[in-house]
Structures are given as structure tokens and as C-alpha cells.
């Protein structure tokens, strides 16, 4: 028997009865049956949406990035981080702001985004300041993990020279080939047959389920060919589970429901306590990658929240407005005339081409799962200029 099949048999009998499945109403709307298997109970106050639902602090500085070179100013970024955290929490000092979330006993994961290398990844300056602040409240460097799914992407980005020694840098598998599941938890997964694929499970990273007590999510402001945008929700969900590329294929995207469902799974939902959206640089087309500067732009902004839906709701407008400024089709465009199925070359050459029908509605769907506030009129956004 194949190892993967054997593991499935071991887990299935115990888990099947308690796992929720999409109801008839969801199926009628085109949402596939999604079966969650997890033995983890939610925290009394889950990290998402956390203590500040519907609240976002947006810090901007024209001095943060030199748009001619793309280089960030470390001192300015540190000040943006400090003001953002103090404003979000109402704390008198930056250290007290971080103490609202973390204590020395915590094992903290920093979920970075490496897919936009070389032009748009979770900024070294932001990641380094997060580590600095964690150690400042007493978290040992040996209990801090910078993580992503793929080791080859982590190798390209190479965060190590920017961080103290003994910070752990961890990936679940060597590359996006779906051949090595050793970095994933066989007992915690989402089961869904989306396109008749052989492997119908997406398992959570062992690091997330079995080691970390808190997670800080640091996504970028990027467009995405299947989801419309790749923000807080997608970064922490698709970056913490295996076998997720299968959700979009042959022009169809199931990301509408799967992104939020993965983000809402325990223990990921309860342990993800802080969202720091890196908008120093962004990508308005061709995302989640950034192989060329053609589609890179510079919001020179960092957003802070505990609510991932609230930030992503703002991100939808940011990416939409940037695309509009360049005369590109909307992220909400569902016209067959814009679709060149799975033709990455055509998409990269022309911002009026989609390779999949995008699902930016995944942000609103996530709000129906209790992950945050979607209604723009109900969001409280505090703007700061440094």
C-alpha cells in the first residue's frame, strides 16, 4: 500500500464523524464539499479576528523606499513599525504594544512571503524589526521561527544574514512538487475532491500545529491570478498547508471558499494573532510572482491589524485602483474574452489577460466564517504619516 494511502486510512475512521461538510446551499452556489479534520479546539479569543475586529492602522512614509533603487530605509521602517503597533494597541510604548501579544514562553512563527522574489517579498527590514521586538519582550531567539512552505524560495530570499543567529528558518518541503509530506501533520487537514485529483488532502505544517504558540503574518500587497489578491488570508492559509495549488486549474478557481476555510482551521486561526501587511512594495499584475519590475509599484505603506479580512478588504481596493491607473481589466473581471486558460506567458505580457477566472470574493467569504469584518463602511481605518 502507498504510504499516503496508509496514513489516510489511519486517520479517517476517527476523524470523519466530527468533520463538517459543505451543505446543500453551498453546493448549489458552486462551493465544493470541504471536510475539516482537526483535533484542536479554538482559543477563547481566536487570533483571527482577534481583539480588534474591523480595525486597521495604516502607516505611510514617502521616505520609506527609494523608488529609483527599490531600497528601503531601515530607520524609517522601524519608526513606521513602532507607530503602527502603538496605535493599534493604544500602548504607551512600543515594547508594551508587543507585550499585548507575546510573552517569553511563546514559540513564535513569522509567516513570510517569498514568492515575489526578487522584487517583492516580506521586507528584510520588517522581518528584522519583528524579531528585534520579540526578543525585546523576552522571547528567546531559539523560539522564533521564520517560515514558508518551500525551501528553494527561502534559499533565494536568504533572511539569515538579516537576523540574529539561532533564529530558526524553516520550510515544509524542498519545492512546490507535492512529493514530500514529511513536513506536514497527517492528522490535521482539509479534505476536498476539487478536480478529481489523486491527493485530495491539504495538511497543515507540523511546525504550525505542533510547535508554534503564536504566529505573525507578514504578506505583501500583490495581485493574484486565481484569488484576485494575495494578502493576509491567502498568505497564512496557502502558506501553511500542503497541496493547495490544486484548488485552481483549467480556468476554474475554488479559492473562493478554500482560502478562508483553511485560514479558519484550528490551530491556525487561534494562533495567528498579528497581521502586518508589507506595502513598502507591491505587485499590480502577474502576482503572486514579481519576476519583472514592470508590474511593481510602491505604496510605501505598512498596515497593522488582528483582523485579516479587514486588511484584505482594503487591499482589494488598492490593487484595483492601481490596475485601473494602468488601464488594466478589473480583478473582478469574469469575461471569457479576457481568459487565456493557463497561458502564463500571455498573462505576463498583457495585464488584460486572465489565466483563471479570479475569485476576489474569497475575502468576503472568509468574513462569513467569522474571520473578520468585510463591510467597508464598518471598518475603522487610522491613517498615520511618518
Amino acid at each position: 500500500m502507498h504510504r499516503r494511502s496508509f496514513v489516510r486510512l489511519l486517520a479517517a475512521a476517527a476523524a470523519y464523524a466530527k468533520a463538517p461538510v459543505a451543505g446543500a446551499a453551498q453546493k448549489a452556489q458552486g462551493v465544493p464539499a470541504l471536510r475539516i479534520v482537526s483535533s484542536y479546539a479554538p482559543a477563547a479569543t481566536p487570533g483571527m479576528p482577534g481583539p480588534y475586529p474591523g480595525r486597521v492602522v495604516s502607516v505611510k512614509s514617502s521616505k520609506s523606499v527609494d523608488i529609483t533603487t527599490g531600497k528601503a530605509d531601515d530607520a524609517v521602517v522601524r519608526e513606521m513599525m513602532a507607530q503602527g503597533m502603538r496605535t493599534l494597541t493604544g500602548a504607551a510604548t512600543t515594547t508594551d504594544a508587543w507585550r499585548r501579544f507575546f510573552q517569553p514562553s511563546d514559540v513564535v512563527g513569522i509567516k513570510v512571503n517569498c514568492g515575489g522574489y526578487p522584487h517583492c517579498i516580506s521586507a528584510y527590514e520588517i522581518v528584522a524589526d519583528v524579531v528585534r521586538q520579540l526578543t525585546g519582550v523576552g522571547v528567546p531567539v531559539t523560539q522564533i521561527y521564520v517560515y514558508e512552505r518551500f525551501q528553494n524560495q527561502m534559499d533565494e530570499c536568504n533572511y539569515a544574514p538579516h537576523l540574529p543567529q539561532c533564529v530558526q528558518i524553516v520550510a515544509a518541503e524542498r519545492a512546490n512538487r507535492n512529493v514530500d509530506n514529511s513536513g506536514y501533520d497527517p492528522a490535521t487537514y482539509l479534505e476536498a475532491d476539487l478536480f478529481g485529483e489523486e491527493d485530495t488532502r491539504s495538511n497543515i505544517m507540523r511546525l504550525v500545529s505542533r510547535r508554534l504558540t503564536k504566529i505573525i503574518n507578514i504578506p505583501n500587497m500583490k495581485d493574484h491570478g486565481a484569488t484576485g489578491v494575495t494578502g493576509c488570508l491567502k498568505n497564512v492559509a496557502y502558506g501553511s498547508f500542503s497541496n493547495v495549488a490544486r484548488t485552481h486549474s483549467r480556468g476554474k478557481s475554488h479559492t473562493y471558499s478554500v482560502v478562508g476555510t483553511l485560514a479558519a482551521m484550528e490551530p491556525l486561526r487561534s494562533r495567528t494573532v498579528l497581521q502586518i501587511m508589507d506595502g513598502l512594495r507591491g505587485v499590480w499584475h502577474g502576482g503572486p510572482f514579481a519576476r519583472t519590475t514592470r508590474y511593481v509599484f510602491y505604496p510605501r505603506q505598512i498596515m497593522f491589524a488582528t483582523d485579516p479580512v479587514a486588511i484584505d478588504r482594503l487591499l482589494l481596493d488598492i490593487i484595483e485602483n492601481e490596475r485601473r491607473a494602468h488601464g488594466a481589466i478589473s480583478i473582478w473581471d469574469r469575461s471569457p474574452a479576457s481568459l487565456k486558460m493557463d497561458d502564463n506567458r500571455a498573462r505576463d505580457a498583457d495585464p488584460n489577460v486572465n489565466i483563471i477566472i479570479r475569485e476576489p470574493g474569497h475575502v468576503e467569504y472568509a468574513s462569513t466564517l467569522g474571520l473578520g469584518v468585510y463591510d467597508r463602511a464598518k471598518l475603522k481605518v487610522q491613517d498615520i504619516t511618518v
Side-chain angles (χ1 to χ4, degrees):
M1 178 180 289
H2 193 283
R3 181 181 66 84
R4 187 177 293 159
S5 299
F6 179 70
V7 170
R8 287 179 178 174
L9 287 174
L10 288 177
Y16 189 86
K18 62 182 179 181
V21 179
Q26 288 178 312
K27 291 178 182 178
Q29 296 172 8
V31 175
L34 305 175
R35 187 167 69 91
I36 296 170
V37 177
S38 175
S39 62
Y40 294 90
T45 303
M48 296 186 285
Y52 309 113
R55 188 174 175 202
V56 178
V57 176
S58 170
V59 184
K60 296 181 179 180
S61 175
S62 61
K63 300 175 290 186
S64 60
V65 180
D66 182 340
I67 64 175
T68 61
T69 64
K71 181 175 175 56
D73 185 305
D74 183 64
V76 174
V77 171
R78 288 175 65 172
E79 181 61 23
M80 294 170 72
M81 293 284 290
Q83 291 200 33
M85 287 297 293
R86 291 198 302 267
T87 303
L88 176 66
T89 61
T93 69
T94 303
T95 299
D96 285 344
W98 285 87
R99 285 197 181 112
R100 300 285 177 92
F101 297 100
F102 306 100
Q103 54 191 12
S105 61
D106 277 320
V107 180
V108 183
I110 302 171
K111 174 61 185 72
V112 293
N113 189 296
C114 295
Y117 183 85
H119 303 298
C120 186
I121 64 172
S122 302
Y124 300 118
E125 296 82 4
I126 292 177
V127 176
D129 192 60
V130 167
V131 172
R132 185 182 301 112
Q133 298 302 334
L134 289 172
T135 58
V137 299
V139 179
V141 290
T142 55
Q143 293 172 201
I144 300 173
Y145 291 76
V146 176
Y147 83 92
E148 180 65 290
R149 281 185 63 201
F150 306 124
Q151 186 64 52
N152 63 325
Q153 292 184 353
M154 294 291 274
D155 290 345
E156 285 182 331
C157 295
N158 193 19
Y159 283 97
H162 305 271
L163 304 174
Q165 289 186 352
C166 298
V167 170
Q168 313 293 308
I169 299 177
V170 177
E173 52 187 306
R174 179 63 206 167
N176 192 6
R177 299 291 182 270
N178 196 30
V179 295
D180 177 17
N181 277 347
S182 62
Y184 297 99
D185 184 343
T188 307
Y189 57 88
L190 178 72
E191 177 96 44
D193 185 347
L194 303 174
F195 293 100
E197 61 270 24
E198 178 184 357
D199 186 355
T200 57
R201 290 187 181 174
S202 292
N203 296 73
I204 200 168
M205 285 180 63
R206 288 178 184 268
L207 173 70
V208 173
S209 63
R210 302 188 182 187
R211 179 64 178 146
L212 303 180
T213 62
K214 302 279 179 62
I215 295 171
I216 302 167
N217 187 22
I218 309 181
N220 298 108
M221 291 184 176
K222 295 194 292 186
D223 123 295
H224 191 278
T227 58
V229 298
T230 179
C232 296
L233 290 162
K234 184 176 179 297
N235 187 57
V236 79
Y238 276 40
S240 299
F241 282 82
S242 69
N243 194 28
V244 291
R246 68 193 175 97
T247 62
H248 37 289
S249 178
R250 301 191 294 274
K252 170 70 175 176
S253 176
H254 288 293
T255 57
Y256 174 79
S257 57
V258 175
V259 171
T261 301
L262 290 175
M265 279 184 60
E266 296 295 351
L268 183 64
R269 179 185 180 185
S270 286
R271 295 179 184 175
T272 306
V273 298
L274 184 60
Q275 314 285 337
I276 302 176
M277 169 67 77
D278 174 4
L280 297 178
R281 309 164 185 88
V283 177
W284 61 268
H285 182 70
F289 307 109
R291 300 187 179 98
T292 172
T293 58
R294 177 182 175 186
Y295 302 122
V296 174
F297 71 114
Y298 295 94
R300 293 186 284 191
Q301 175 182 7
I302 307 174
M303 294 195 291
F304 302 81
T306 59
D307 181 337
V309 174
I311 287 187
D312 283 2
R313 173 63 187 87
L314 300 176
L315 178 63
L316 290 172
D317 289 345
I318 291 169
I319 298 300
E320 180 74 354
N321 290 338
E322 189 67 21
R323 291 181 64 83
R324 185 179 297 121
H326 290 275
I329 59 173
S330 169
I331 56 174
W332 300 91
D333 182 274
R334 304 183 73 85
S335 169
S338 305
L339 183 64
K340 294 187 178 180
M341 193 180 303
D342 300 330
D343 190 340
N344 292 326
R345 182 174 296 180
R347 183 272 314 273
D348 291 347
D350 185 353
N352 291 302
V353 167
N354 284 328
I355 58 173
I356 297 172
I357 298 297
R358 301 174 186 239
E359 296 293 352
H362 78 273
V363 181
E364 184 174 15
Y365 183 88
S367 74
T368 70
L369 303 178
L371 287 169
V373 179
Y374 179 81
D375 186 345
R376 184 65 180 84
K378 295 180 179 178
L379 300 185
K380 181 180 180 181
V381 182
Q382 293 174 266
D383 294 306
I384 298 172
T385 300
V386 172

